[in-house]
Amino acid sequence: MSILNFASNVKIFVISNLGSGNFGDELNLLGVLYKYRRYKPIRLTIVANEPQIFREYHPILGKHASIIKSNFVFGFISVIPPLLRSNLVIITGGKYMKNLYEIFYLAYIALLGKLLRRKILLESIGIYPYGTRVGFNIEALDKELNSYKLGLIRLLLTKLLLALADRVSVRDISSKILINLIIGKKVLFEIDPIFNLPINVTNSLLQDESHLLLGLAIGYVIDKRFPNLMKELYKAIVYLMKQRPRLKIICVPFSIPTIKDLKSPDNDLRLCLQLYAHLPDELKAKFVIVKERLKPIEAIQLLRKLDCIVALRYHPFLLAIKLGVPCLIIPHELKVLDYINILTKYKLRDSVIIGVVTPDTVSSHEIVAYFERCIDNIS
């Protein structure tokens, strides 16, 4: 029997990494909320890092939901009123053991909610070391923990958060294994919330007969972590645009924390502009950069038009699968590798994934070959 026994009038309080300029977090929210669409009416309160950015992504939701600004000092006080008027608390996303303050904040909310007899759900979460980058070794992970004491505090707070939850669901196998090791709690494995959304799979190939459209979804300071990858990607782009006059490159930033500060490590726009700056002048007109934050429906409509996408980020890769757009995946996070294995298990991989290459060894020849293969398949 479901732990949710609400007949109607559900009052949901959502805590996640929202309003930070990361498109994937906003899309995750929609996927999670879609699961509760049968409960009507729903009163929604959301914690967002920057309410204005949240409203950019969700103009309709932003008008009807109560938005609370997350901040270091007053965040512990501002969550009390919505907890008092809610009957369901949803905590979703994140890598909770990565940030000591964040895990403490979430454990505090869960404990307060439990004292008020609220239902506490951890939806589609991922926990440390699930969020670590591909290529990191044990020594690097130890350094990230800073010290044994801080690592132990993170572990204890994570155990507390998991123990307080009425239900825990994860979107990756690594997190499920880790939670079982930490607390031995029963964990539900559920497919990523993006797949909850009613997005129709369409044959988007060659909708624009005048151009071939190759999408780029890059991020996570790959220029510093994998400098060879940026060089090889640049060489592949230049070669393809010279060889195929009909080709256009569409660079889609999925994380834009701030449009003005391009030094932010998680700002994809910086990497797109970096590639553009090095292109020969005659090719720049065929390299299009999306310079504004896209609403979910806008991003979906754009990705549908692509003939192929090179995905280094997690959510563009999932959206490509959802939309049936062929994609070349360059995984640099364990969660991406996890999902590739899941898709292989369910025999979904070959239908959309045209290739998987490692970021530290990929060559421009591989990228070109996979794109040519994609074009051959749709010609």
Side-chain angles (χ1 to χ4, degrees):
M1 188 173 80
S2 172
I3 65 166
L4 300 177
N5 52 9
F6 307 113
S8 63
N9 197 28
V10 179
K11 301 168 186 176
I12 302 178
F13 183 31
V14 179
I15 302 96
S16 186
N17 185 37
L18 302 167
S20 62
N22 189 306
F23 175 85
D25 294 326
E26 310 299 336
L27 201 61
N28 180 76
L29 169 70
L30 296 181
V32 169
L33 291 180
Y34 191 76
K35 292 172 61 177
Y36 300 95
R37 65 193 183 281
R38 61 193 172 101
Y39 298 107
K40 295 179 181 179
I42 289 179
R43 184 174 178 178
L44 196 60
T45 304
I46 293 171
V47 174
N49 297 327
E50 292 293 339
Q52 185 55 40
I53 293 179
F54 177 83
R55 292 186 177 96
E56 282 183 38
Y57 283 113
H58 311 285
I60 297 176
L61 192 59
K63 289 180 181 178
H64 294 88
S66 299
I67 314 297
I68 298 174
K69 181 175 173 59
S70 173
N71 58 67
F72 188 82
V73 179
F74 297 108
F76 290 87
I77 300 173
S78 62
V79 297
I80 295 175
L83 276 172
L84 289 171
R85 61 175 179 258
S86 301
N87 49 22
L88 176 60
V89 179
I90 298 177
I91 298 172
T92 180
K95 310 173 183 84
Y96 297 138
M97 288 181 71
K98 288 282 281 184
N99 185 305
L100 184 58
Y101 166 73
E102 184 178 63
I103 179 63
F104 181 71
Y105 181 60
L106 296 174
Y108 161 79
I109 292 173
L111 180 60
L112 197 55
K114 209 64 182 172
L115 292 173
L116 293 170
R117 298 185 179 181
R118 304 305 188 242
K119 296 289 186 184
I120 311 292
L121 305 185
L122 302 187
E123 287 277 2
S124 187
I125 66 166
I127 68 171
Y128 185 94
Y130 147 75
T132 56
R133 309 290 191 251
V134 172
F136 273 20
N137 53 30
I138 297 300
E139 290 76 15
L141 296 179
D142 286 340
K143 288 179 182 177
E144 281 199 359
L145 285 173
N146 300 319
S147 72
Y148 171 75
K149 289 182 180 178
L150 283 181
L152 183 60
I153 292 172
R154 285 190 183 98
L155 180 62
L156 293 175
L157 286 172
T158 302
K159 290 183 72 170
L160 175 62
L161 177 62
L162 294 169
L164 290 170
D166 293 282
R167 187 179 72 188
V168 179
S169 70
V170 297
R171 61 187 179 186
D172 66 288
I173 303 301
S174 300
S175 287
K176 183 174 182 179
I177 293 171
L178 194 59
I179 291 173
N180 284 333
L181 289 173
I182 290 174
I183 199 171
K185 190 180 183 80
K186 184 178 180 181
V187 180
L188 300 173
F189 169 75
E190 296 183 341
I191 200 161
D192 193 277
I194 280 183
F195 293 97
N196 295 332
L197 295 173
I199 304 171
N200 294 325
V201 176
T202 60
N203 183 8
S204 62
L205 306 180
L206 292 177
Q207 285 186 342
D208 183 352
E209 295 292 345
S210 61
H211 290 101
L212 295 170
L213 301 179
L214 171 62
L216 288 181
I218 56 180
Y220 287 118
V221 290
I222 60 167
D223 54 332
K224 294 180 175 62
R225 188 164 288 121
F226 304 109
N228 180 66
L229 171 58
M230 283 293 282
K231 293 176 184 176
E232 296 302 312
L233 191 59
Y234 171 78
K235 286 194 288 186
I237 288 170
V238 171
Y239 176 82
L240 285 167
M241 285 197 289
K242 286 182 176 179
Q243 294 297 312
R244 292 185 175 270
R246 291 175 55 217
L247 178 65
K248 266 193 176 182
I249 307 292
I250 313 294
C251 201
V252 189
F254 269 67
S255 179
I256 309 179
T258 169
I259 301 211
K260 295 180 180 178
D261 181 17
L262 295 180
K263 294 181 181 179
S264 171
D266 201 27
N267 198 330
D268 297 356
L269 190 55
R270 174 180 62 84
L271 296 171
C272 295
L273 292 170
Q274 205 174 94
L275 283 172
Y276 177 83
H278 289 88
L279 289 175
D281 289 340
E282 67 272 16
L283 297 179
K284 287 184 175 179
K286 299 200 298 178
F287 190 93
V288 180
I289 302 174
V290 180
K291 294 184 178 180
E292 65 274 358
R293 297 187 185 99
L294 295 176
K295 300 178 182 67
I297 188 63
E298 292 172 339
I300 289 167
Q301 289 171 346
L302 175 59
L303 262 64
R304 270 187 175 146
K305 295 179 181 179
L306 299 178
D307 299 302
C308 182
I309 184 168
V310 178
L312 284 90
R313 278 192 170 276
Y314 175 69
H315 286 97
F317 147 57
L318 292 187
L319 266 182
I321 292 167
K322 179 75 173 174
L323 296 170
V325 178
C327 58
L328 169 63
I329 303 169
I330 307 178
H332 66 294
E333 286 194 302
L334 294 179
K335 60 183 177 181
V336 179
L337 291 173
D338 251 0
Y339 242 86
I340 292 171
N341 292 333
I342 291 167
L343 292 169
T344 302
K345 179 180 178 181
Y346 290 100
K347 299 180 180 179
L348 296 173
R349 172 175 168 172
D350 292 338
S351 59
V352 286
I353 301 177
I354 58 171
V356 180
V357 293
T358 54
D360 49 353
T361 61
V362 64
S363 70
S364 57
H365 301 292
E366 284 182 286
I367 297 172
V368 169
Y370 279 118
F371 185 72
E372 297 286 359
R373 173 184 160 190
C374 172
I375 298 304
D376 290 341
N377 287 342
I378 62 178
S379 299

